Short mmCIF file of all heavy atoms in Angstrom, two decimals:
data_model
loop_
_atom_site.label_atom_id
_atom_site.label_comp_id
_atom_site.label_asym_id
_atom_site.label_seq_id
_atom_site.Cartn_x
_atom_site.Cartn_y
_atom_site.Cartn_z
N HIS A 81 58.83 21.71 -80.67
CA HIS A 81 59.65 21.78 -81.91
C HIS A 81 58.89 22.72 -82.86
O HIS A 81 57.86 22.34 -83.33
CB HIS A 81 59.99 20.46 -82.47
CG HIS A 81 61.10 20.62 -83.53
ND1 HIS A 81 60.90 21.28 -84.68
CD2 HIS A 81 62.31 20.14 -83.53
CE1 HIS A 81 62.15 21.09 -85.35
NE2 HIS A 81 62.94 20.43 -84.63
N THR A 82 59.33 23.95 -83.14
CA THR A 82 58.56 24.77 -83.98
C THR A 82 58.78 24.39 -85.43
O THR A 82 59.73 23.72 -85.81
CB THR A 82 59.12 26.30 -83.79
OG1 THR A 82 60.57 26.33 -84.16
CG2 THR A 82 58.93 26.83 -82.46
N ALA A 83 57.76 24.83 -86.24
CA ALA A 83 57.84 24.64 -87.71
C ALA A 83 56.88 25.65 -88.34
O ALA A 83 55.94 26.12 -87.82
CB ALA A 83 57.41 23.25 -88.07
N ARG A 88 59.31 24.36 -96.12
CA ARG A 88 59.39 22.94 -96.22
C ARG A 88 60.52 22.43 -95.36
O ARG A 88 60.34 21.28 -94.71
CB ARG A 88 59.52 22.43 -97.69
CG ARG A 88 59.50 20.97 -97.73
CD ARG A 88 59.60 20.52 -99.22
NE ARG A 88 58.49 20.94 -100.01
CZ ARG A 88 57.33 20.22 -100.23
NH1 ARG A 88 57.29 19.12 -99.64
NH2 ARG A 88 56.40 20.77 -100.99
N ALA A 89 61.56 23.09 -95.36
CA ALA A 89 62.72 22.51 -94.49
C ALA A 89 62.41 22.44 -93.06
O ALA A 89 62.80 21.45 -92.34
CB ALA A 89 63.92 23.44 -94.71
N THR A 90 61.64 23.43 -92.46
CA THR A 90 61.25 23.33 -91.06
C THR A 90 60.23 22.16 -90.88
O THR A 90 60.23 21.69 -89.70
CB THR A 90 60.71 24.65 -90.58
OG1 THR A 90 59.45 24.88 -91.13
CG2 THR A 90 61.54 25.79 -90.86
N ILE A 91 59.41 21.97 -91.82
CA ILE A 91 58.40 20.88 -91.66
C ILE A 91 59.14 19.53 -91.64
O ILE A 91 58.93 18.61 -90.79
CB ILE A 91 57.42 20.85 -92.84
CG1 ILE A 91 56.60 22.16 -92.78
CG2 ILE A 91 56.38 19.63 -92.67
CD1 ILE A 91 55.64 22.26 -93.99
N ASP A 92 60.14 19.32 -92.57
CA ASP A 92 60.95 18.11 -92.60
C ASP A 92 61.70 17.92 -91.33
O ASP A 92 61.81 16.79 -90.78
CB ASP A 92 61.88 18.13 -93.81
CG ASP A 92 61.13 17.97 -95.16
OD1 ASP A 92 59.94 17.70 -95.14
OD2 ASP A 92 61.71 18.28 -96.22
N ALA A 93 62.29 18.99 -90.78
CA ALA A 93 63.12 18.97 -89.57
C ALA A 93 62.10 18.55 -88.39
O ALA A 93 62.49 17.71 -87.60
CB ALA A 93 63.74 20.26 -89.24
N PHE A 94 60.91 19.12 -88.37
CA PHE A 94 60.01 18.69 -87.38
C PHE A 94 59.60 17.25 -87.44
O PHE A 94 59.56 16.57 -86.40
CB PHE A 94 58.75 19.57 -87.58
CG PHE A 94 57.51 19.16 -86.61
CD1 PHE A 94 57.57 19.14 -85.33
CD2 PHE A 94 56.31 18.81 -87.23
CE1 PHE A 94 56.53 18.85 -84.52
CE2 PHE A 94 55.27 18.38 -86.53
CZ PHE A 94 55.37 18.31 -85.12
N ARG A 95 59.35 16.80 -88.65
CA ARG A 95 59.08 15.36 -88.93
C ARG A 95 60.19 14.48 -88.33
O ARG A 95 59.93 13.47 -87.64
CB ARG A 95 58.81 15.09 -90.34
CG ARG A 95 58.70 13.65 -90.79
CD ARG A 95 58.98 13.45 -92.24
NE ARG A 95 60.46 13.75 -92.47
CZ ARG A 95 60.82 14.15 -93.64
NH1 ARG A 95 60.15 14.33 -94.72
NH2 ARG A 95 62.23 14.43 -93.79
N ASP A 96 61.39 14.82 -88.69
CA ASP A 96 62.57 14.06 -88.37
C ASP A 96 62.67 13.98 -86.78
O ASP A 96 63.08 12.99 -86.15
CB ASP A 96 63.83 14.55 -88.94
CG ASP A 96 63.81 14.40 -90.38
OD1 ASP A 96 63.07 13.61 -91.01
OD2 ASP A 96 64.71 15.04 -91.05
N ALA A 97 62.39 15.15 -86.16
CA ALA A 97 62.48 15.22 -84.61
C ALA A 97 61.44 14.28 -84.04
O ALA A 97 61.61 13.63 -83.08
CB ALA A 97 62.33 16.55 -84.15
N VAL A 98 60.16 14.31 -84.63
CA VAL A 98 59.15 13.42 -84.05
C VAL A 98 59.48 11.93 -84.27
O VAL A 98 59.35 11.21 -83.30
CB VAL A 98 57.79 13.78 -84.79
CG1 VAL A 98 56.69 12.71 -84.41
CG2 VAL A 98 57.38 15.18 -84.53
N SER A 145 55.42 15.79 -96.71
CA SER A 145 56.48 15.50 -95.79
C SER A 145 56.25 14.32 -94.93
O SER A 145 57.11 13.48 -94.63
CB SER A 145 56.72 16.77 -94.87
OG SER A 145 57.73 16.51 -93.99
#
Side-chain angles (χ1 to χ4, degrees):
H81 194 292
T82 59
R88 185 180 295 271
T90 69
I91 299 173
D92 290 346
F94 171 61
R95 176 203 61 208
D96 293 345
V98 173
S145 182

